[in-house]
């Protein structure tokens, strides 16, 4: 059967000539025709560390905007971060670097800066028909919340500043490197961050209640919530994405805009999934429930290459990425719902595993770096495969003051 599947992939593979978002050409035409009629398109990456995966994600987004009237971009980040992105691209408030300073760490790249510049330029040229941006997650703590707490303490009880900062200083590092990744890398200070967050909140509750106290208490509670609901705080990757999925649905219904959703493949896929011992339903599964085939899920994966954080070897043979890599094309896409013989359809409908690489990835533990799902064609509508990757370009970390 493998030979039959390989032959089908070779016959149906559509070559992508360039992953640069600035590239133009007809190579994406069949893909755009496939996706253009959708109401929401999920463009999912198997890793957030690849320049090429990010590039093709943005190139497809730009083409859907220009050729098929998509005007919404939903991102995996908090509502606060999404609002800053939207303020910049809609009204030019701030600049991309400052906008991204409080965003989720994987967004803080020069590639994202370029994307924001492009969207801003598009909106300036189309002031009556702009692209809007939504952060799909609830508001969550950022570095500014820690600063607000410390500023209040400095003003009303400077003698307690050191005691509170003892709890806040180590845990604010989670906004640069997630707590669970710190544990994996052996750089975690030891005490669960949520415990320090709760200790800081308890100290805030004893402060003098002067002007601004209610606001600073809210900042401290937001910090607790952030750490309690993190992967480390919840003890695993299992999550309830229903509220975030409904947020995208409600946004689309209220605006009427056709929407592109950027995230990892675990969250953009049409089905629930298993990641290690965790099982969850991503946002994409709720979007498929809401929009039916009006939601299209594209998985962007790769074979091997340098991700900056690690060099990923060729995928293990049981992963779909290994078979996709046997097609002699640097970059291509394939429609999983194209006509296929019975043997191929059986492969498409069968359970499968796809490579997925997060910040916890270790090449020595490559065997565990995968996402499992019940059906390849049930999980995704289109696959994009890139043979070799290079790293994204990270923005410099802002200096703490």
């Amino acid at each position: 059967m493998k030979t039959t599947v390989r032959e089908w992939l070779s016959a149906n593979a559509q070559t992508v000539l360039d992953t640069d978002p600035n590239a133009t050409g007809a190579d994406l035409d069949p893909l755009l025709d496939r996706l253009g009629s959708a109401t929401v398109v999920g463009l999912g990456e198997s890793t957030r560390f690849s320049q090429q995966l990010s590039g093709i994600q943005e190139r497809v987004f730009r083409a859907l905007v220009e050729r098929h009237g998509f005007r919404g971009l939903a991102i995996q980040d908090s509502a606060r971060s999404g609002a800053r992105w939207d303020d910049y691209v809609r009204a030019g408030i701030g600049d991309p670097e400052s906008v991204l300073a409080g965003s989720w760490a994987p967004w803080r790249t020069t590639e994202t800066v370029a994307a924001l510049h492009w969207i801003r330029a598009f909106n300036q040229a189309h002031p009556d028909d702009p692209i809007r941006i939504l952060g799909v997650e609830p508001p969550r703590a950022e570095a500014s919340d820690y600063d607000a707490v410390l500023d209040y303490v400095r003003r009303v009880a400077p003698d307690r500043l050191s005691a509170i900062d003892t709890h806040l200083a180590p845990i604010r590092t989670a906004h640069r490197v997630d707590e669970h990744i710190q544990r994996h890398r052996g750089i975690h200070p030891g005490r669960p961050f949520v415990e320090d967050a709760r200790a800081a909140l308890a100290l805030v509750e004893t402060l003098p209640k002067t002007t601004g106290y209610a606001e600073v208490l809210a900042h401290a509670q937001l910090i607790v919530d952030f750490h309690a609901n993190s992967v480390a705080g919840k003890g695993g990757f299992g999550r309830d994405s229903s509220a975030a999925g409904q947020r995208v649905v409600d946004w689309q219904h209220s605006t009427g805009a056709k929407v592109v959703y950027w995230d990892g493949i675990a969250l953009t896929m049409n089905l629930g999934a298993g990641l290690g011992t965790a099982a969850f339903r991503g946002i994409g599964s709720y979007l498929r429930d809401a929009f039916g085939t009006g939601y299209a899920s594209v998985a962007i994966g790769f074979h091997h290459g340098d991700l900056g954080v690690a060099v990923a070897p060729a995928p293990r043979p049981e992963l779909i990425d290994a078979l996709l890599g046997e097609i002699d094309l640097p970059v291509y896409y394939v429609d999983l719902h194209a006509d296929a013989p019975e043997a191929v359809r059986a492969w498409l409908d069968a359970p499968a595993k796809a490579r997925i690489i997060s910040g916890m990835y270790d090449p020595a533990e490559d065997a565990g770096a995968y996402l499992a799902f019940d059906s390849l064609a049930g999980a995704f509508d289109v696959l994009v495969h890139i043979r070799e990757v290079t790293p994204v370009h990270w923005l410099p970390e802002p200096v703490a003051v």
Side-chain angles (χ1 to χ4, degrees):
M1 186 176 80
K2 184 177 179 181
T3 299
T4 304
V5 171
R6 189 187 302 109
E7 291 172 350
W8 180 83
L9 288 171
S10 296
N12 286 273
Q14 301 283 337
T15 299
V16 176
L17 298 177
D18 202 329
T19 61
D20 186 332
N22 295 302
T24 59
D27 52 322
L28 293 184
D29 284 358
L31 177 60
L32 297 173
D33 291 342
R34 171 73 170 80
L35 301 177
S37 61
T39 302
V40 181
V41 172
L43 298 178
E45 303 170 299
S46 64
T47 182
R48 302 179 190 276
F49 299 122
S50 161
Q51 178 183 358
Q52 290 73 26
L53 270 66
S54 173
I56 196 67
Q57 185 183 55
E58 186 184 345
R59 188 179 171 205
V60 172
F61 165 72
R62 290 188 187 186
L64 288 173
V65 167
E66 293 179 326
R67 295 174 54 177
H68 291 282
F70 281 69
R71 292 295 184 269
L73 175 62
I75 60 168
Q76 175 55 38
D77 210 336
S78 75
R80 295 172 73 184
S81 181
R84 284 195 303 272
W85 287 39
D86 189 60
D87 286 343
Y88 171 71
V89 301
R90 178 180 48 82
I93 298 173
D95 59 80
E97 289 79 3
S98 61
V99 164
L100 294 174
S103 295
W104 186 37
W107 293 122
R108 298 201 288 266
T109 68
T110 61
E111 286 79 8
T112 309
V113 168
L116 287 171
H117 277 305
W118 185 87
I119 298 171
R120 174 60 183 151
F122 180 92
N123 284 351
Q124 287 177 300
H126 303 81
D128 297 325
D129 190 24
I131 299 166
R132 300 297 302 270
I133 299 180
L134 173 77
V136 302
E137 299 292 344
R140 66 185 181 204
E142 299 177 354
S144 59
D145 295 290
Y146 299 78
D147 294 336
V149 171
L150 294 174
D151 288 345
Y152 183 84
V153 178
R154 194 175 288 114
R155 178 168 62 85
V156 306
D159 57 312
R160 303 188 202 178
L161 182 63
S162 177
I164 291 182
D165 195 35
T166 296
H167 296 296
L168 295 183
I171 69 176
R172 70 187 297 161
T173 61
H175 298 273
R176 297 195 305 273
V177 180
D178 290 344
E179 183 182 3
H180 67 284
I181 296 176
Q182 291 190 34
R183 288 195 180 280
H184 180 76
R185 295 179 182 175
I187 60 174
H188 192 280
R191 186 183 188 189
F193 285 179
V194 68
E195 292 184 11
D196 270 312
R198 288 171 177 150
L201 173 61
L203 289 173
V204 169
E205 291 173 336
T206 68
L207 294 173
K209 297 176 176 56
T210 65
T211 302
Y213 176 76
E215 289 80 2
V216 82
L217 191 63
H219 288 299
Q221 183 62 60
L222 204 56
I223 292 169
V224 171
D225 294 343
F226 173 85
H227 293 287
N229 292 304
S230 69
V231 172
K234 296 178 75 171
F237 286 95
R239 59 181 297 174
D240 180 4
S241 297
S242 58
Q246 190 60 48
R247 183 170 167 81
V248 178
V249 173
D250 292 344
W251 190 55
Q252 194 286 320
H253 286 166
S254 66
T255 63
K258 298 172 76 171
V259 177
V260 171
Y261 166 42
W262 281 353
D263 210 329
I265 61 172
L267 289 167
T268 59
M269 64 189 296
N270 297 324
L271 301 176
L275 179 59
T277 59
F280 60 92
R281 286 186 63 186
I283 293 171
S285 68
Y286 294 100
L287 297 178
R288 176 52 63 97
D289 287 348
F291 296 105
T293 55
Y295 175 67
S297 178
V298 179
I300 309 170
F302 74 103
H303 189 268
H304 68 277
D306 184 2
L307 297 171
V309 295
V311 175
R316 296 174 65 86
E318 65 269 24
L319 302 184
I320 60 169
D321 312 83
L323 181 56
L324 295 172
E326 294 181 17
I327 308 306
D328 190 22
L329 292 171
V331 188
Y332 69 92
Y333 56 91
V334 61
D335 184 345
L336 299 183
H337 298 285
D339 290 340
E342 185 175 344
V344 174
R345 185 51 55 191
W347 175 75
L348 291 168
D349 291 340
K353 297 177 180 178
R355 159 171 269 174
I356 186 168
I357 292 183
S358 71
M360 293 179 64
Y361 178 72
D362 183 344
E365 300 174 359
D366 185 69
Y370 67 85
L371 182 72
F373 34 88
D374 292 337
S375 162
L376 178 58
F380 306 108
D381 299 297
V382 175
L383 296 182
V384 179
H385 185 76
I386 299 169
R387 178 177 298 280
E388 185 172 6
V389 295
T390 56
V392 293
H393 302 87
W394 299 102
L395 293 173
E397 287 294 337
V399 178
V401 293

